Amino acid sequence: MLTIFAASSGVVLLCVLIQTAAVDICVRFYSRLIQPHGTSTASALQVWPLFLMVMCLLAGHLLQILCWGLFFLIIEVFSDFQTALYFAGATFTTIGYGDVVLPPGRYLLAPLVGITGLLMLGVSTAVMAAAVMNMINRRVTQLRERRQ
């Protein structure tokens, strides 16, 4: 069991690296697409940077789920990729339907996957919140400058 946890910590590290790359790509997209300070723009145009951020972060999470699915195949917890990927996705997102479960002796991997998912989804939430706050602050600044 200790060997499995050591190997799974490698998957956790891989998830952190993927999440870091996804956040970096999002920040780069955002910085290129957001309107320069002081320029007025329709709020509908501001949806585009947020949409791209969502898609980028979603791709990162799907890649992390794929890593967990492959890990479950490698350690022979599931015999087919579809079941391994389904379980990884349901557990990573903490939906956990319960229709597919780990075999005895591997139960403790599920909370590890779930906690990793919660943490990585939390990072994505923080990135999105920061982008929205930046947009709100820019808009407030624009409105104040117009009044003066």
Side-chain angles (χ1 to χ4, degrees):
M1 188 63 169
L2 192 57
T3 305
I4 296 296
F5 273 112
S8 65
S9 66
V11 181
V12 172
L13 175 61
L14 189 56
C15 287
V16 171
L17 292 172
I18 291 168
Q19 186 69 30
T20 302
V23 167
D24 184 57
I25 291 168
C26 286
V27 169
R28 289 173 190 268
F29 276 146
Y30 183 80
S31 67
R32 287 187 182 130
L33 294 174
I34 196 73
Q35 295 297 316
H37 180 69
T39 60
S40 181
T41 182
S43 58
L45 294 177
Q46 297 300 314
V47 171
W48 186 243
L50 291 178
F51 172 73
L52 288 177
M53 288 180 78
V54 167
M55 295 308 291
C56 181
L57 293 168
L58 180 60
H61 291 301
L62 292 174
L63 189 55
Q64 292 171 60
I65 290 168
L66 176 69
C67 291
W68 281 110
L70 290 172
F71 175 73
F72 289 134
L73 273 181
I74 290 168
I75 65 169
E76 300 177 346
V77 170
F78 300 111
S79 59
D80 65 291
F81 181 66
Q82 183 176 352
T83 303
L85 190 61
Y86 170 77
F87 178 81
T91 306
F92 187 86
T93 58
T94 68
I95 294 171
Y97 294 114
D99 54 341
V100 177
V101 295
L102 292 171
R106 309 294 174 139
Y107 290 144
L108 293 178
L109 287 174
L112 180 65
V113 176
I115 291 168
T116 302
L118 281 172
L119 292 171
M120 298 304 106
L121 291 164
V123 170
S124 292
T125 301
V127 168
M128 292 299 300
V132 170
M133 285 305 301
N134 179 270
M135 292 172 117
I136 290 170
N137 288 335
R138 287 170 167 271
R139 184 67 177 142
V140 167
T141 300
Q142 287 173 354
L143 293 173
R144 285 183 181 157
E145 287 174 354
R146 279 190 199 163
R147 280 191 240 151
Q148 294 175 353

